[in-house]
Amino acid sequence: MTVFDGASLRGRVAVVTGASRGIGLSICEHLRAMGAQVVQLDVLFPEESEVPVEANGMLAMRCDVADPASVALMASTVRTAFGRCDVLVNNAGITASPAALEDFPIDEWDRVFRVNLRGALLCAQALVPMMFEAQAGSIVNVASISARSPTRAVAYGATKAGLRALTQQMAVEWGPRRIGRPEDIGGIVAFLASDASGYINGEDIVADGGFLKAALNNLYNNPAQ
């Protein structure tokens, strides 16, 4: 049983935001190499590509993740074309010029939050129903070390910290729909043993389908306890 080969994601549909270059493009190429049908989303694609255009074995589509109408059109297109979405990678992100917090322009604050945090929620809301229907799926939210350590990129770090919190909220609400199996742990160990995890070091990796967070959250919010 292999984790990373040309068939490991065969038959699955992966949607990646911020996918025209950099980390997003690399994610797309890796998922495609594993057999997935990849849908690349980016606001940088030409406006006429709101209808997906095939390129390099993937489908490229213009989508403004901060715009509910654009996201809804994207989700409808994915459903019509494939009838499923197995993987969503929320990678789209922007930043602003460094500035002191007391001087940070509020319009820039709102712009960064619309893309980095609101956009991730909109895409998840639009695509997760197909995962519910299949009773399986993966949502990967790409954050940053700025989520843990403040920088001069004021709004960027705040959005990435918010994205970490949103990820935990997704785990609490959506994670319990999956029942763990031994191969879930086996796959993680195989990943950590492979070159794909070469830049991970000293991390405490919790693999529980969101159980721990959901259990503690329910205990805290139960007035009878």
Short mmCIF file of all heavy atoms in Angstrom, two decimals, residues 9 12 85-87 128 130-140 170-188 206-212 214:
data_model
loop_
_atom_site.label_atom_id
_atom_site.label_comp_id
_atom_site.label_asym_id
_atom_site.label_seq_id
_atom_site.Cartn_x
_atom_site.Cartn_y
_atom_site.Cartn_z
N LEU A 9 -4.45 9.36 -5.51
CA LEU A 9 -5.59 10.28 -5.52
C LEU A 9 -6.41 10.14 -6.80
O LEU A 9 -7.19 11.03 -7.13
CB LEU A 9 -5.12 11.72 -5.36
CG LEU A 9 -4.51 12.10 -4.01
CD1 LEU A 9 -4.09 13.57 -4.00
CD2 LEU A 9 -5.50 11.84 -2.87
N ARG A 12 -10.21 11.39 -7.62
CA ARG A 12 -10.59 12.46 -6.69
C ARG A 12 -10.41 13.82 -7.34
O ARG A 12 -9.59 14.02 -8.22
CB ARG A 12 -9.77 12.37 -5.41
CG ARG A 12 -9.96 11.04 -4.70
CD ARG A 12 -9.29 11.03 -3.35
NE ARG A 12 -9.22 9.68 -2.81
CZ ARG A 12 -8.74 9.36 -1.62
NH1 ARG A 12 -8.28 10.33 -0.82
NH2 ARG A 12 -8.71 8.11 -1.22
N CYS A 85 -16.26 17.01 -4.85
CA CYS A 85 -15.05 17.71 -4.45
C CYS A 85 -14.49 16.95 -3.26
O CYS A 85 -15.15 16.84 -2.22
CB CYS A 85 -15.33 19.16 -4.08
SG CYS A 85 -13.86 20.03 -3.47
N ASP A 86 -13.32 16.41 -3.42
CA ASP A 86 -12.71 15.59 -2.37
C ASP A 86 -11.69 16.35 -1.54
O ASP A 86 -11.45 16.00 -0.39
CB ASP A 86 -12.03 14.37 -3.01
CG ASP A 86 -13.00 13.57 -3.86
OD1 ASP A 86 -13.80 12.81 -3.27
OD2 ASP A 86 -12.99 13.72 -5.09
N VAL A 87 -11.08 17.35 -2.14
CA VAL A 87 -10.02 18.10 -1.47
C VAL A 87 -10.20 19.58 -1.76
O VAL A 87 -10.39 19.97 -2.91
CB VAL A 87 -8.61 17.67 -1.96
CG1 VAL A 87 -7.53 18.46 -1.23
CG2 VAL A 87 -8.41 16.17 -1.77
N VAL A 128 -18.02 22.12 0.87
CA VAL A 128 -18.14 21.03 1.84
C VAL A 128 -19.42 20.22 1.69
O VAL A 128 -19.44 19.04 2.05
CB VAL A 128 -17.97 21.57 3.28
CG1 VAL A 128 -19.28 22.21 3.78
CG2 VAL A 128 -17.52 20.46 4.22
N MET A 130 -20.54 18.80 -0.88
CA MET A 130 -20.20 17.63 -1.70
C MET A 130 -19.40 16.61 -0.89
O MET A 130 -19.50 15.41 -1.13
CB MET A 130 -19.43 18.07 -2.95
CG MET A 130 -20.32 18.70 -4.01
SD MET A 130 -19.43 19.13 -5.54
CE MET A 130 -18.83 20.76 -5.12
N MET A 131 -18.60 17.10 0.06
CA MET A 131 -17.87 16.19 0.95
C MET A 131 -18.84 15.48 1.90
O MET A 131 -18.69 14.29 2.19
CB MET A 131 -16.81 16.96 1.73
CG MET A 131 -15.75 17.61 0.87
SD MET A 131 -14.48 18.45 1.85
CE MET A 131 -13.55 19.27 0.56
N PHE A 132 -19.84 16.22 2.38
CA PHE A 132 -20.85 15.60 3.23
C PHE A 132 -21.57 14.48 2.49
O PHE A 132 -21.83 13.40 3.04
CB PHE A 132 -21.88 16.63 3.68
CG PHE A 132 -21.36 17.64 4.67
CD1 PHE A 132 -22.08 18.79 4.94
CD2 PHE A 132 -20.17 17.45 5.35
CE1 PHE A 132 -21.62 19.73 5.85
CE2 PHE A 132 -19.70 18.37 6.27
CZ PHE A 132 -20.43 19.52 6.52
N GLU A 133 -21.90 14.75 1.23
CA GLU A 133 -22.60 13.75 0.43
C GLU A 133 -21.77 12.48 0.25
O GLU A 133 -22.29 11.37 0.27
CB GLU A 133 -22.96 14.33 -0.94
CG GLU A 133 -24.01 15.43 -0.88
CD GLU A 133 -24.08 16.25 -2.16
OE1 GLU A 133 -23.50 15.81 -3.18
OE2 GLU A 133 -24.72 17.33 -2.13
N ALA A 134 -20.46 12.65 0.09
CA ALA A 134 -19.56 11.51 -0.08
C ALA A 134 -19.11 10.91 1.24
O ALA A 134 -18.48 9.85 1.26
CB ALA A 134 -18.33 11.94 -0.88
N GLN A 135 -19.44 11.60 2.35
CA GLN A 135 -19.02 11.19 3.70
C GLN A 135 -17.50 11.06 3.80
O GLN A 135 -16.98 10.21 4.51
CB GLN A 135 -19.70 9.87 4.11
CG GLN A 135 -21.21 10.01 4.22
CD GLN A 135 -21.87 8.77 4.76
OE1 GLN A 135 -21.47 7.64 4.45
NE2 GLN A 135 -22.88 8.95 5.60
N ALA A 136 -16.81 11.93 3.08
CA ALA A 136 -15.34 11.96 3.12
C ALA A 136 -14.87 13.24 2.46
O ALA A 136 -15.59 13.85 1.67
CB ALA A 136 -14.75 10.74 2.39
N GLY A 137 -13.65 13.63 2.79
CA GLY A 137 -13.08 14.82 2.16
C GLY A 137 -12.01 15.43 3.04
O GLY A 137 -11.88 15.09 4.22
N SER A 138 -11.23 16.31 2.44
CA SER A 138 -10.14 16.97 3.16
C SER A 138 -10.17 18.46 2.87
O SER A 138 -10.28 18.85 1.71
CB SER A 138 -8.78 16.40 2.73
OG SER A 138 -8.70 15.02 3.00
N ILE A 139 -10.06 19.27 3.92
CA ILE A 139 -9.90 20.71 3.77
C ILE A 139 -8.56 21.08 4.39
O ILE A 139 -8.32 20.81 5.57
CB ILE A 139 -11.04 21.49 4.44
CG1 ILE A 139 -12.38 21.15 3.78
CG2 ILE A 139 -10.77 23.00 4.36
CD1 ILE A 139 -13.57 21.84 4.44
N VAL A 140 -7.69 21.67 3.59
CA VAL A 140 -6.37 22.08 4.06
C VAL A 140 -6.31 23.60 4.01
O VAL A 140 -6.43 24.20 2.93
CB VAL A 140 -5.26 21.48 3.18
CG1 VAL A 140 -3.89 21.93 3.69
CG2 VAL A 140 -5.35 19.96 3.15
N MET A 170 -13.71 24.05 12.14
CA MET A 170 -14.09 23.04 11.16
C MET A 170 -13.90 21.64 11.73
O MET A 170 -14.73 20.74 11.51
CB MET A 170 -13.26 23.20 9.88
CG MET A 170 -13.56 24.44 9.07
SD MET A 170 -12.44 24.55 7.64
CE MET A 170 -13.04 26.05 6.85
N ALA A 171 -12.79 21.46 12.46
CA ALA A 171 -12.52 20.14 13.04
C ALA A 171 -13.59 19.75 14.04
O ALA A 171 -14.05 18.60 14.09
CB ALA A 171 -11.15 20.14 13.71
N VAL A 172 -14.00 20.71 14.87
CA VAL A 172 -15.01 20.43 15.89
C VAL A 172 -16.36 20.10 15.26
O VAL A 172 -17.04 19.16 15.67
CB VAL A 172 -15.14 21.64 16.85
CG1 VAL A 172 -16.38 21.50 17.73
CG2 VAL A 172 -13.90 21.75 17.72
N GLU A 173 -16.75 20.88 14.24
CA GLU A 173 -18.08 20.71 13.68
C GLU A 173 -18.16 19.62 12.62
O GLU A 173 -19.18 18.94 12.51
CB GLU A 173 -18.55 22.04 13.08
CG GLU A 173 -18.69 23.13 14.14
CD GLU A 173 -19.59 24.27 13.68
OE1 GLU A 173 -20.43 24.05 12.77
OE2 GLU A 173 -19.47 25.36 14.24
N TRP A 174 -17.10 19.45 11.84
CA TRP A 174 -17.16 18.53 10.71
C TRP A 174 -16.35 17.26 10.92
O TRP A 174 -16.64 16.23 10.31
CB TRP A 174 -16.69 19.23 9.43
CG TRP A 174 -17.53 20.41 9.06
CD1 TRP A 174 -18.81 20.66 9.47
CD2 TRP A 174 -17.16 21.51 8.21
NE1 TRP A 174 -19.26 21.85 8.94
CE2 TRP A 174 -18.28 22.39 8.16
CE3 TRP A 174 -16.02 21.84 7.50
CZ2 TRP A 174 -18.27 23.58 7.43
CZ3 TRP A 174 -16.00 23.03 6.75
CH2 TRP A 174 -17.11 23.88 6.72
N GLY A 175 -15.35 17.30 11.78
CA GLY A 175 -14.50 16.13 12.01
C GLY A 175 -15.22 14.90 12.50
O GLY A 175 -14.92 13.78 12.06
N PRO A 176 -16.18 15.04 13.45
CA PRO A 176 -16.86 13.84 13.97
C PRO A 176 -17.65 13.05 12.95
O PRO A 176 -18.14 11.95 13.25
CB PRO A 176 -17.79 14.44 15.05
CG PRO A 176 -17.11 15.69 15.47
CD PRO A 176 -16.50 16.24 14.22
N ARG A 177 -17.82 13.55 11.70
CA ARG A 177 -18.52 12.79 10.67
C ARG A 177 -17.65 11.62 10.18
O ARG A 177 -18.17 10.78 9.43
CB ARG A 177 -18.85 13.72 9.47
CG ARG A 177 -19.87 14.80 9.82
CD ARG A 177 -19.98 15.82 8.69
NE ARG A 177 -21.00 16.81 8.99
CZ ARG A 177 -22.25 16.78 8.51
NH1 ARG A 177 -22.62 15.80 7.73
NH2 ARG A 177 -23.10 17.72 8.82
N ARG A 178 -16.35 11.55 10.56
CA ARG A 178 -15.48 10.46 10.12
C ARG A 178 -15.15 9.56 11.28
O ARG A 178 -14.84 10.00 12.37
CB ARG A 178 -14.19 11.00 9.51
CG ARG A 178 -14.42 11.78 8.21
CD ARG A 178 -13.10 12.21 7.65
NE ARG A 178 -12.31 11.07 7.36
CZ ARG A 178 -11.00 11.00 7.48
NH1 ARG A 178 -10.32 11.99 7.95
NH2 ARG A 178 -10.35 9.92 7.14
N ILE A 179 -15.16 8.22 11.06
CA ILE A 179 -14.74 7.25 12.06
C ILE A 179 -13.31 6.83 11.73
O ILE A 179 -12.99 6.47 10.60
CB ILE A 179 -15.67 6.01 12.05
CG1 ILE A 179 -17.11 6.45 12.32
CG2 ILE A 179 -15.19 5.00 13.08
CD1 ILE A 179 -17.29 7.13 13.66
N GLY A 180 -12.43 6.87 12.73
CA GLY A 180 -11.02 6.56 12.50
C GLY A 180 -10.80 5.08 12.19
O GLY A 180 -11.52 4.21 12.68
N ARG A 181 -9.81 4.84 11.36
CA ARG A 181 -9.41 3.48 11.01
C ARG A 181 -7.90 3.36 11.18
O ARG A 181 -7.19 4.37 11.14
CB ARG A 181 -9.78 3.17 9.55
CG ARG A 181 -11.27 3.31 9.23
CD ARG A 181 -11.49 3.35 7.74
NE ARG A 181 -10.84 4.52 7.15
CZ ARG A 181 -10.76 4.77 5.84
NH1 ARG A 181 -11.29 3.91 4.99
NH2 ARG A 181 -10.16 5.85 5.39
N PRO A 182 -7.38 2.15 11.37
CA PRO A 182 -5.93 2.00 11.53
C PRO A 182 -5.14 2.61 10.40
O PRO A 182 -4.07 3.20 10.62
CB PRO A 182 -5.74 0.48 11.59
CG PRO A 182 -7.03 -0.04 12.13
CD PRO A 182 -8.09 0.86 11.56
N GLU A 183 -5.65 2.52 9.17
CA GLU A 183 -4.89 3.06 8.04
C GLU A 183 -4.78 4.58 8.08
O GLU A 183 -3.90 5.17 7.43
CB GLU A 183 -5.49 2.61 6.69
CG GLU A 183 -6.98 2.83 6.57
CD GLU A 183 -7.79 1.59 6.93
OE1 GLU A 183 -7.43 0.90 7.89
OE2 GLU A 183 -8.78 1.34 6.23
N ASP A 184 -5.67 5.25 8.84
CA ASP A 184 -5.54 6.70 9.00
C ASP A 184 -4.22 7.05 9.68
O ASP A 184 -3.57 8.04 9.33
CB ASP A 184 -6.71 7.26 9.80
CG ASP A 184 -8.03 7.17 9.05
OD1 ASP A 184 -8.01 7.30 7.82
OD2 ASP A 184 -9.06 6.96 9.70
N ILE A 185 -3.84 6.27 10.66
CA ILE A 185 -2.58 6.50 11.36
C ILE A 185 -1.41 6.00 10.52
O ILE A 185 -0.36 6.64 10.43
CB ILE A 185 -2.58 5.81 12.73
CG1 ILE A 185 -3.81 6.26 13.54
CG2 ILE A 185 -1.30 6.13 13.49
CD1 ILE A 185 -3.92 7.75 13.73
N GLY A 186 -1.61 4.86 9.87
CA GLY A 186 -0.55 4.32 9.02
C GLY A 186 -0.16 5.30 7.92
O GLY A 186 1.03 5.46 7.61
N GLY A 187 -1.15 5.97 7.34
CA GLY A 187 -0.87 6.93 6.29
C GLY A 187 -0.06 8.12 6.79
O GLY A 187 0.83 8.63 6.09
N ILE A 188 -0.35 8.56 8.00
CA ILE A 188 0.38 9.69 8.58
C ILE A 188 1.83 9.31 8.84
O ILE A 188 2.76 10.08 8.55
CB ILE A 188 -0.29 10.15 9.88
CG1 ILE A 188 -1.68 10.72 9.56
CG2 ILE A 188 0.56 11.19 10.60
CD1 ILE A 188 -2.54 10.94 10.77
N VAL A 206 -1.50 15.68 16.09
CA VAL A 206 -2.67 15.03 16.67
C VAL A 206 -3.55 14.50 15.54
O VAL A 206 -3.97 15.26 14.67
CB VAL A 206 -3.48 16.01 17.55
CG1 VAL A 206 -4.72 15.33 18.10
CG2 VAL A 206 -2.61 16.54 18.69
N ALA A 207 -3.80 13.23 15.53
CA ALA A 207 -4.64 12.60 14.51
C ALA A 207 -5.83 11.94 15.21
O ALA A 207 -5.77 10.79 15.63
CB ALA A 207 -3.84 11.57 13.72
N ASP A 208 -6.91 12.71 15.36
CA ASP A 208 -8.07 12.19 16.11
C ASP A 208 -9.40 12.57 15.48
O ASP A 208 -10.44 12.46 16.11
CB ASP A 208 -8.02 12.67 17.57
CG ASP A 208 -8.23 14.17 17.69
OD1 ASP A 208 -8.23 14.86 16.65
OD2 ASP A 208 -8.42 14.65 18.82
N GLY A 209 -9.35 13.06 14.22
CA GLY A 209 -10.60 13.43 13.55
C GLY A 209 -11.32 14.59 14.21
O GLY A 209 -12.52 14.79 13.98
N GLY A 210 -10.62 15.35 15.05
CA GLY A 210 -11.26 16.46 15.76
C GLY A 210 -11.90 16.06 17.07
O GLY A 210 -12.55 16.87 17.73
N PHE A 211 -11.70 14.80 17.50
CA PHE A 211 -12.39 14.29 18.70
C PHE A 211 -12.02 15.08 19.95
O PHE A 211 -12.89 15.47 20.74
CB PHE A 211 -12.04 12.82 18.91
CG PHE A 211 -12.59 12.26 20.19
CD1 PHE A 211 -13.91 11.85 20.27
CD2 PHE A 211 -11.81 12.17 21.33
CE1 PHE A 211 -14.43 11.34 21.45
CE2 PHE A 211 -12.31 11.67 22.52
CZ PHE A 211 -13.63 11.25 22.58
N LEU A 212 -10.73 15.33 20.15
CA LEU A 212 -10.31 16.00 21.38
C LEU A 212 -10.88 17.39 21.49
O LEU A 212 -11.42 17.79 22.52
CB LEU A 212 -8.78 16.05 21.45
CG LEU A 212 -8.18 16.71 22.70
CD1 LEU A 212 -8.61 15.95 23.96
CD2 LEU A 212 -6.66 16.75 22.61
N ALA A 214 -13.52 18.59 19.94
CA ALA A 214 -14.98 18.52 20.07
C ALA A 214 -15.38 18.10 21.47
O ALA A 214 -16.32 18.65 22.05
CB ALA A 214 -15.55 17.54 19.04
#
